[in-house]
Amino acid sequence: MFGGYKASKLKPQLKMAVTRFQISANKKSALMKQQIREIAKLLADDNPKEEKARIKAEALIRDDNTVEAYDILQLNCELLSERIQYISYSKECPGDLISCISTLIWASAIVDIPELLEIRKQFRYKYGKHFDSDAMQNVGGVINDRVAAKLSVQPPSAYLVQTYLEKIADEHEVDWKPKVPLRADQISEPHNNGAPAPPAPPSFGVIPEAPKSSEQQSANVPLLPTPAPPSRIDDIEEEDIFVPGAPKSPPGSINIHNRNDDGGDGGEQVNRGRTQSAGERSNGSKDNGGEDESYDDLAARFAQLNKKN
């Protein structure tokens, strides 16, 4: 008769929960500072009480995780308080608020915040007992993973406890080293966290080649052979060369710098013409003199003939 969802009851409970989370977090933070000083004294003794310090470090880690979870739960309460009208006018739980509401319902049975019990009751009136049971059993993994990890009842790993002790000793300038070093499996605990091992690196027997770009592919095209550099006789203009028995070509008939009709460079054609003319001259010299003259002798001979003329 007096039950049922009421936004006028839910919103004040959400605001009071925010204040309660702040007060509880401040108390735990002050308690943590005291615990840190006690751990530093235990490690600073001439005979360090390492086992007792480890037990206190576990309690310190648990309180530290609880404070961090309180911060997340406080933000959830603030978000729901701002969207109270949206919740009231929605027949079903909005998709973007399922994780937020389910996390508060799940945490109400773990944390010492009495306002969460009334908040859970209001949401059970609003969305039914099935929604409440799914949140408590974390059906579909709707609970915030970080909150679930911080409020877990599992004890902290040995590596994490020793890390806290080393940090406390360093901050309080205590010269302390652990008596018993950690084993390899204890050191690897925080790195694995139940996750599968990383894949093995590839072997370096055969290194695959990277795909080639268009420029690299064009670079692999075989280049045409470059023409040989011009010989010394090519430097002599054909107008100044006198060949006995051969008609002298009229001036301007051969121009080295001419280009072909289609705009391309005619240098290759000129080089072929020069090669052929040089071959004809050498054949003619063989017929006349019967000897194979070098280019230097032939150039000297042409120079003497020019002087005579």
Side-chain angles (χ1 to χ4, degrees):
M1 181 178 179
F2 299 97
Y5 169 79
K6 293 182 180 180
S8 58
K9 287 186 178 181
L10 178 59
K11 187 171 184 179
Q13 293 296 327
L14 291 171
K15 290 184 175 296
M16 286 191 294
V18 171
T19 305
R20 183 80 67 175
F21 278 125
Q22 292 176 348
I23 295 173
S24 299
N26 293 337
K27 287 183 178 180
K28 287 187 177 296
S29 298
L31 182 61
M32 288 169 55
K33 292 180 181 179
Q34 182 179 354
Q35 291 175 344
I36 291 174
R37 289 193 295 266
E38 293 177 358
I39 293 173
K41 290 180 181 180
L42 293 174
L43 298 177
D45 290 343
D46 295 335
N47 186 14
K49 300 177 181 179
E50 187 173 325
E51 293 300 327
K52 191 173 182 179
R54 289 183 180 275
I55 296 174
K56 288 186 173 293
E58 288 188 8
L60 176 65
I61 294 171
R62 189 174 297 107
D63 290 340
D64 193 9
N65 291 338
T66 302
V67 170
E68 188 173 351
Y70 280 5
D71 292 339
I72 301 175
L73 294 174
Q74 177 183 340
L75 292 176
N76 290 347
C77 291
E78 291 178 354
L79 176 62
L80 296 178
S81 177
E82 295 297 329
R83 296 190 180 181
I84 192 66
Q85 297 295 331
Y86 179 45
I87 295 172
S88 299
Y89 287 99
S90 299
K91 293 183 179 180
E92 297 181 357
C93 182
D96 56 340
L97 296 179
I98 292 179
S99 177
C100 180
I101 296 174
S102 299
T103 302
L104 288 179
I105 294 175
W106 177 83
S108 63
I110 299 176
V111 299
D112 188 16
I113 304 294
E115 285 79 8
L116 289 184
L117 296 176
E118 183 62 29
I119 293 173
R120 175 186 175 185
K121 185 185 299 184
Q122 290 295 319
F123 283 122
R124 184 169 65 244
Y125 290 152
K126 177 67 175 176
Y127 301 119
K129 294 182 180 180
H130 184 69
F131 183 87
D132 182 81
S133 62
D134 288 347
M136 294 300 297
Q137 297 175 8
N138 193 18
V139 176
V142 294
I143 305 301
N144 188 300
D145 295 336
R146 193 173 178 183
V147 174
K150 296 301 178 181
L151 297 179
S152 175
V153 296
Q154 295 292 333
S157 63
Y159 178 85
L160 184 60
V161 172
Q162 182 164 318
T163 302
Y164 266 69
L165 294 177
E166 292 176 353
K167 186 176 181 180
I168 292 172
D170 186 29
E171 289 180 353
H172 291 79
E173 299 180 355
V174 177
D175 187 11
W176 171 81
K177 296 296 180 183
K179 295 180 181 179
V180 180
L182 296 177
R183 300 188 306 272
D185 57 343
Q186 294 176 334
I187 295 177
S188 61
E189 281 179 3
H191 299 284
N192 292 336
N193 292 329
S203 59
F204 295 96
V206 178
I207 302 177
E209 296 182 356
K212 297 180 180 181
S213 61
S214 58
E215 296 180 357
Q216 293 176 342
Q217 292 178 356
S218 62
N220 294 333
V221 178
L223 299 177
L224 296 176
T226 55
S231 59
R232 294 180 59 185
I233 194 172
D234 292 336
D235 298 335
I236 303 174
E237 296 182 1
E238 295 191 7
E239 294 179 355
D240 299 333
I241 299 176
F242 176 76
V243 180
K248 186 176 181 181
S249 58
S253 61
I254 298 177
N255 188 357
I256 298 177
H257 301 287
N258 283 343
R259 296 179 178 271
N260 51 17
D261 296 337
D262 56 356
D265 191 357
E268 187 176 353
Q269 298 178 359
V270 174
N271 289 335
R272 288 199 298 267
R274 288 180 176 178
T275 305
Q276 293 177 358
S277 61
E280 293 174 359
R281 294 185 195 120
S282 61
N283 293 333
S285 62
K286 288 182 181 179
D287 296 339
N288 295 333
E291 296 180 356
D292 187 7
E293 297 179 352
S294 64
Y295 286 125
D296 294 338
D297 297 337
L298 186 59
R301 180 180 175 184
F302 288 158
Q304 292 177 0
L305 292 175
N306 290 332
K307 291 180 180 179
K308 291 179 182 182
N309 294 332

